[in-house]
Amino acid sequence: MEQQKAATSGALQAPLTGPTNNPTAAAQALLHNPVAAQALANNPDASAAAQALLGNRAATYHPLLNNTRVDQQHMGVPGASISKPSTGEALMKSHSDSHALIRSDRGSMLSMSDDNVMMKQILATHAPDGREFDVRPLLDLVEDILNRATQHVDFLVKGTTQAQIEMEEKALQANHIAMLEALTYTIDRIASELSYKALGVSDAHATTTAIFNLLSSYTWDAKLVLSLSAFALNYGEFWLLAQIYSTNQLAKSMAILRQLPSLLEHTASLKPRFDALNNLIRAMIDVTKCVVQFTQLPSTYISQDVPVLATAMNLFPTAVYWTIRSMVACATQISNLSSMGHEFGISTTESWELSTLAHKLRNIYELLQQQLNLCYQYIEEKTDVAFYQLLLTLFDPNALHIDNMKVLKALIYDKDDKLPLLDGATKRRVSLDVLRRKNVLLLISSLEFANDELAILEQIYNESRIHATRLESQYEVVWIPIVDHSIIPMPEEMQTKFENLQSTMPWYSVQDPLFIKKPVTRFIKEVWHFRTKPILVVLDPQGKVVSPNAIHMMWIWGSTAFPFTSLREEALWREETWRLDLLVDGIDPTVLNWIKEEKYIFLYGGDDVEWVRRFANSARSVASASRIPLEMVYVGKSRKREHVKKVVGIINAEKLSYAWQDPTMVWFFWTRLESMLFSKIQLGRADDQDPVMQQIKKLLSYGREGGWAVLSRGSNIVVNGHSTTVLPTLGGYDEWKVNIAELGFDMAFKEYHDKLHDVAHPCCRFQFPTIIRTPENMRCPECHRVMEKYTSFICCHDDQGIPGSLF
């Protein structure tokens, strides 16, 4: 052995000329001679790579790996350690599963009795001793060699330049080189077995069994990777010589010994043979990678007794056997080509063997891949549950955090490899640090975001930025888009819709909707009760939820509601009174000027054109007769947008009154009213008997059916009436005008209206879409009794209804 080492060392000193940066040579070097590979890692000079390639494989034999367990963290994959398999006798129980797979191929190469004997022999060789190592770096190296080798046929036939992909730098790391040193002896023995038996008369099964005997102490995945490494050593060397022999004299001499020049002159005619080999080699790689992926599944979330994984592991013996058997068949074909030259022709039997093996491996791969996908699905379900529990813990009201970073990372993106936010002002990607220790408003919505909602939110946000130093401006908004995770990747139409929405937002937004994980979406829906309408969840600087939905506060009070807590919401309600400013604040300056001028104002709505015409004419006649300054504004209806537009057109044409021309103003008016009710529902005060809440409920109910009108003098609201009482009050002017001198116009109107109201008792009704939270019960604002609950199916046939309307 010492003499052999010395002779080999001398060979390494020989000068080498030719290519100096061959990636295949680098890959081959790592398998041939880890010591030379270490030199390559320290000095990646081409001559070092070539010398390492031509070095003796047996130059440095090292003991096999010690029986020490490799810690999971050192393997680079959490929970991916290879647990100690059961003994060969225990594995016999999976033999029937292997039979089914083998017999499924027509023209199986073995009879059932042969199959029984074969599997017993293979399982009898399996006696793992508990040693474990991460096979992934070695597999990456082998895959690099075989991928480059299988490209050379097309390269030689077509004369095109193949793209060179550098090996991963980790393959040259010291710990991986140490692993290769420990495995060199085993890889060389298998390579010799493949080479020498391929030239002899030994049958393929005998050679395969001999390899299994060499690898008896290794796990199934290690058997595959070590065998594939040995095969890659031979096959890669074959094509490396073919690649460099024309420019390197030493390689040329070696190529002549292998009859490569003669062989390569006939590459076109031999291409079908190499294609058959390459197809089988690719199938071998796929099966090997698939088996290795099973061993790297995180044991934290899936164990070997889980049915989907147990089923896959029962297939391992069969998969490993036929993959190594395929390596033997490929090695035989290569040896025959090298020894007999281009005159060697693949016989019908050999051709059938290669195609049958490729077909068999494809079937095995598909079965394994199917089980692997099921395992991934199982793991995903487990990790989703664990992540959901983490969110519950993080957002526990009693949880304490130094800042908001932990909760924001859990919600949006928990890694540091990407910038997850887009700054709406600069359109640049930024990190979550821009939100550290700030009040954060999470704007959560689907991609169906109404233009009206977006426009009003943007207006409120931009107004708050004008005075950035004010207390009510000390918050940031982040858009959290919620999409269907079952549609991945997102369709182009959906991606375009997302990008268009994102481009209009002046605040921060999540860069990619898929950053929001499925358990986060579940949490948002189940805990924060998101359905389809946008919600605004408020987090304080420590990441604690201070309001589960501040969107109602935003619609009602804008940035004045800062810091958007439930306490602030209750305080704002205590300050409110039933006045016209509350209904129209921030919507129309014209109406606000009327209020300042203490004019009489009729705020009215409905979709019955005839009623609108009669009401407006009657109101004008009564005002003229009473000689009072009266203004009227038509504010439409909470739905039937297109019909409202027609009513506005008639009002304008007949000059009946002032009317809001912008549909967004109509939408905002009704949205604010609805928000007032839902703000109370969220606070658990929907049945409060305060006058403000009772009048808001009445107005929302009146707006549902027919017409309605609110009369005020300046900001003071006098009457909030339904069409069935307001119009008759105007029509009965002759009966109550005598009271104007004593009571004043407003109180005389109210007194007569209230008498009619006591007789008419308009019906109150509320309809809540199933997409929002609804109260358990409600009291009627007219009679104060608990209202009956019904399930309704409504079709208004108005596709252009006011978006987001609740009633």
Side-chain angles (χ1 to χ4, degrees):
M1 179 64 69
E2 294 299 325
Q3 292 176 352
Q4 184 180 8
K5 286 185 182 179
T8 305
S9 300
L12 284 173
Q13 304 304 316
L16 183 66
T17 60
T20 61
N21 58 351
N22 190 297
T24 307
Q28 284 287 113
L30 290 174
L31 288 180
H32 270 274
N33 192 335
V35 172
Q38 182 66 63
L40 177 61
N42 297 330
N43 180 20
D45 183 75
S47 60
Q51 289 178 13
L53 163 67
L54 297 175
N56 189 347
R57 303 175 188 172
T60 53
Y61 284 158
H62 290 272
L64 296 178
L65 289 174
N66 295 328
N67 294 336
T68 55
R69 183 179 181 85
V70 180
D71 188 74
Q72 293 177 5
Q73 284 108 352
H74 295 138
M75 295 172 65
V77 180
S81 66
I82 310 170
S83 59
K84 183 175 181 178
S86 57
T87 61
E89 290 78 2
L91 284 170
M92 289 296 291
K93 65 181 181 181
S94 66
H95 186 38
S96 59
D97 298 327
S98 302
H99 280 315
L101 179 64
I102 297 171
R103 291 197 304 271
S104 66
D105 290 317
R106 271 183 204 173
S108 173
M109 290 179 285
L110 296 172
S111 67
M112 188 178 298
S113 59
D114 291 337
D115 175 33
N116 288 330
V117 174
M118 176 198 74
M119 290 309 299
K120 287 181 180 179
Q121 289 177 342
I122 297 306
L123 292 173
T125 67
H126 188 64
D129 57 9
R131 76 185 71 195
E132 297 182 10
F133 64 93
D134 185 5
V135 299
R136 190 75 226 188
L138 182 57
L139 179 57
D140 291 339
L141 185 63
V142 170
E143 187 180 6
D144 180 76
I145 293 172
L146 293 178
N147 282 341
R148 296 179 190 278
T150 53
Q151 292 175 357
H152 287 153
V153 177
D154 288 335
F155 171 76
L156 292 169
V157 172
K158 299 176 183 177
T160 57
T161 302
Q162 298 295 313
Q164 298 295 321
I165 304 173
E166 296 297 332
M167 286 184 299
E168 296 183 17
E169 292 182 1
K170 66 179 183 180
L172 293 176
Q173 293 175 1
N175 58 331
H176 295 150
I177 292 175
M179 178 193 69
L180 285 173
E181 290 178 351
L183 297 173
T184 297
Y185 175 77
T186 303
I187 294 173
D188 274 344
R189 287 192 64 188
I190 301 170
S192 298
E193 193 75 25
L194 286 171
S195 298
Y196 300 150
K197 294 291 178 67
L199 293 173
V201 294
S202 177
D203 66 88
H205 174 66
T207 304
T208 304
T209 304
I211 293 173
F212 269 96
N213 285 324
L214 289 174
L215 298 172
S216 61
S217 59
Y218 290 92
T219 54
W220 293 112
D221 63 310
K223 293 180 199 292
L224 271 181
V225 175
L226 290 172
S227 300
L228 197 62
S229 300
F231 173 77
L233 204 57
N234 293 336
Y235 195 59
E237 188 176 83
F238 177 87
W239 282 113
L240 180 59
L241 286 176
Q243 183 181 16
I244 67 173
Y245 86 98
S246 62
T247 58
N248 185 281
Q249 186 57 47
L250 178 57
K252 183 175 183 180
S253 299
M254 294 178 64
I256 292 173
L257 286 176
R258 288 201 170 199
Q259 301 187 46
L260 276 179
S262 174
L263 188 66
L264 296 177
E265 288 176 2
H266 299 83
T267 50
S269 61
L270 291 174
K271 187 177 184 300
R273 305 177 192 178
F274 286 118
D275 286 343
L277 282 170
N278 290 343
N279 287 336
L280 183 53
I281 290 171
R282 292 187 184 104
M284 287 156 41
I285 295 173
D286 288 341
V287 172
T288 303
K289 289 172 65 178
C290 196
V291 170
V292 170
Q293 284 176 300
F294 277 106
T295 67
Q296 296 182 329
L297 296 176
S299 59
T300 305
Y301 298 108
I302 188 169
S303 59
Q304 295 182 10
D305 57 355
V306 174
V308 289
L309 181 54
T311 300
M313 294 183 68
N314 287 340
L315 294 173
F316 283 4
T318 301
V320 175
Y321 173 83
W322 287 109
T323 305
I324 295 178
R325 174 77 173 263
S326 298
M327 297 177 200
V328 174
C330 289
T332 300
Q333 297 298 322
I334 297 166
S335 295
N336 288 336
L337 279 171
S338 297
S339 61
M340 303 178 67
H342 70 277
E343 296 177 357
F344 166 71
I346 300 180
S347 67
T348 303
T349 301
E350 291 165 331
S351 176
W352 172 82
E353 180 186 17
L354 291 180
S355 62
T356 301
L357 285 170
H359 177 66
K360 187 180 293 292
L361 287 189
R362 283 297 165 200
N363 285 341
I364 292 172
Y365 171 73
E366 289 173 5
L367 285 173
L368 288 174
Q369 190 62 49
Q370 180 181 359
Q371 290 304 121
L372 185 62
N373 291 337
L374 291 175
C375 287
Y376 286 145
Q377 182 179 341
Y378 179 90
I379 293 169
E380 183 180 15
E381 292 172 357
K382 290 291 186 181
T383 54
D384 284 353
V385 169
F387 200 87
Y388 182 80
Q389 292 299 320
L390 172 64
L391 290 172
L392 291 176
T393 302
L394 288 175
F395 285 98
D396 187 294
N398 298 319
L400 299 177
H401 305 292
I402 298 175
D403 57 27
N404 54 6
M405 283 294 96
K406 186 178 291 186
V407 298
L408 288 175
K409 285 184 176 181
L411 283 174
I412 298 174
Y413 193 70
D414 56 357
K415 300 176 183 176
D416 297 323
D417 58 337
K418 295 180 181 178
L419 299 175
L421 298 180
L422 181 73
D423 187 338
T426 64
K427 303 305 178 186
R428 293 180 180 178
R429 298 185 67 167
V430 295
S431 70
L432 290 172
D433 281 331
V434 297
L435 306 175
R436 187 183 296 273
R437 294 191 180 90
K438 291 185 179 180
N439 293 282
V440 177
L441 278 59
L442 301 175
L443 177 60
I444 302 170
S445 79
S446 67
L447 300 186
E448 301 300 327
F449 208 137
N451 291 332
D452 293 331
E453 292 176 292
L454 196 56
I456 298 297
L457 271 178
E458 184 175 345
Q459 178 182 332
I460 295 172
Y461 177 83
N462 288 336
E463 287 175 357
S464 72
R465 301 296 107 168
I466 294 176
H467 306 287
T469 58
R470 290 184 179 178
L471 181 63
E472 60 265 26
S473 302
Q474 303 305 305
Y475 66 88
E476 298 293 346
V477 178
V478 180
W479 180 42
I480 308 291
I482 303 298
V483 299
D484 186 354
H485 280 263
S486 65
I487 308 175
I488 297 177
M490 287 200 306
E492 184 177 351
E493 180 182 359
M494 187 182 296
Q495 182 67 32
T496 301
K497 182 181 290 186
F498 163 73
E499 292 172 357
N500 290 341
L501 265 176
Q502 188 183 51
S503 65
T504 64
M505 295 180 175
W507 44 75
Y508 295 109
S509 60
V510 174
Q511 175 66 29
D512 185 345
L514 297 182
F515 283 175
I516 308 302
K517 299 178 180 178
K518 285 196 293 185
V520 174
T521 299
R522 177 191 169 192
F523 179 86
I524 288 172
K525 291 180 177 180
E526 294 184 6
V527 178
W528 292 342
H529 304 287
F530 169 76
R531 299 295 182 266
T532 57
K533 287 181 62 62
I535 64 173
L536 202 61
V537 178
V538 183
L539 306 180
D540 70 8
Q542 284 71 47
K544 183 178 181 179
V545 177
V546 292
S547 175
N549 188 9
I551 195 77
H552 311 307
M553 279 191 278
M554 188 68 82
W555 293 144
I556 301 168
W557 297 291
S559 296
T560 306
F562 181 86
F564 308 102
T565 63
S566 297
L567 290 176
R568 175 61 174 161
E569 189 173 12
E570 291 183 338
L572 288 169
W573 272 122
R574 286 194 294 269
E575 298 171 5
E576 289 295 351
T577 58
W578 180 237
R579 53 196 175 87
L580 196 61
D581 306 65
L582 176 64
L583 301 183
V584 299
D585 186 32
I587 300 178
D588 188 355
T590 300
V591 179
L592 295 178
N593 288 333
W594 294 343
I595 292 173
K596 292 178 182 178
E597 295 169 4
E598 288 292 319
K599 290 185 176 181
Y600 287 96
I601 303 168
F602 262 128
L603 200 72
Y604 74 104
D607 60 350
D608 186 335
V609 175
E610 186 56 34
W611 182 88
V612 167
R613 184 181 285 116
R614 289 170 56 197
F615 170 80
N617 289 330
S618 297
R620 184 175 289 107
S621 297
V622 168
S624 176
S626 302
R627 297 180 181 179
I628 61 169
L630 176 68
E631 300 288 353
M632 293 182 288
V633 55
Y634 174 74
V635 298
K637 194 177 179 68
S638 63
R639 58 193 181 95
K640 297 186 177 180
R641 170 175 284 203
E642 290 303 311
H643 197 75
V644 168
K645 284 183 179 179
K646 294 179 182 178
V647 175
V648 171
I650 293 173
I651 292 173
N652 292 337
E654 299 180 13
K655 299 180 179 180
L656 298 176
S657 74
Y658 175 62
W660 287 343
Q661 310 297 313
D662 187 354
T664 301
M665 297 171 69
V666 177
W667 171 85
F668 193 36
F669 173 80
W670 289 104
T671 296
R672 290 184 76 251
L673 278 180
E674 293 159 2
S675 294
M676 292 174 194
L677 174 59
F678 278 93
S679 171
K680 286 288 189 176
I681 291 175
Q682 184 168 279
L683 292 172
R685 306 285 179 82
D687 278 336
D688 280 359
Q689 297 303 309
D690 67 277
V692 175
M693 201 67 249
Q694 296 306 310
Q695 294 299 329
I696 288 171
K697 285 191 205 176
K698 284 183 183 181
L699 187 51
L700 286 169
S701 179
Y702 295 162
R704 180 72 189 154
E705 299 285 342
W708 59 273
V710 169
L711 174 65
S712 74
R713 183 175 184 179
S715 183
N716 181 46
I717 294 178
V718 179
V719 168
N720 175 17
H722 191 260
S723 59
T724 56
T725 57
V726 173
L727 188 56
T729 299
L730 292 171
Y733 173 71
D734 290 338
E735 297 182 32
W736 55 269
K737 65 181 181 181
V738 296
N739 297 324
I740 294 177
E742 179 185 352
L743 302 176
F745 177 85
D746 49 351
M747 297 311 296
F749 184 96
K750 174 178 171 54
E751 182 180 70
Y752 190 82
H753 174 271
D754 289 349
K755 291 178 182 179
L756 295 180
H757 178 271
D758 291 340
V759 176
H761 269 303
C763 178
C764 286
R765 67 182 63 187
F766 300 94
Q767 292 178 342
F768 297 92
T770 57
I771 60 174
I772 63 172
R773 297 175 64 188
T774 58
E776 288 297 322
N777 53 64
M778 286 187 68
R779 292 186 179 274
C780 174
E782 298 283 0
C783 65
H784 307 301
R785 289 179 295 184
V786 175
M787 303 175 72
E788 296 183 21
K789 185 183 294 187
Y790 293 87
T791 300
S792 300
F793 294 88
I794 301 174
C795 184
C796 63
H797 301 290
D798 184 7
D799 293 335
Q800 300 300 320
I802 295 177
S805 177
L806 305 181
F807 298 92

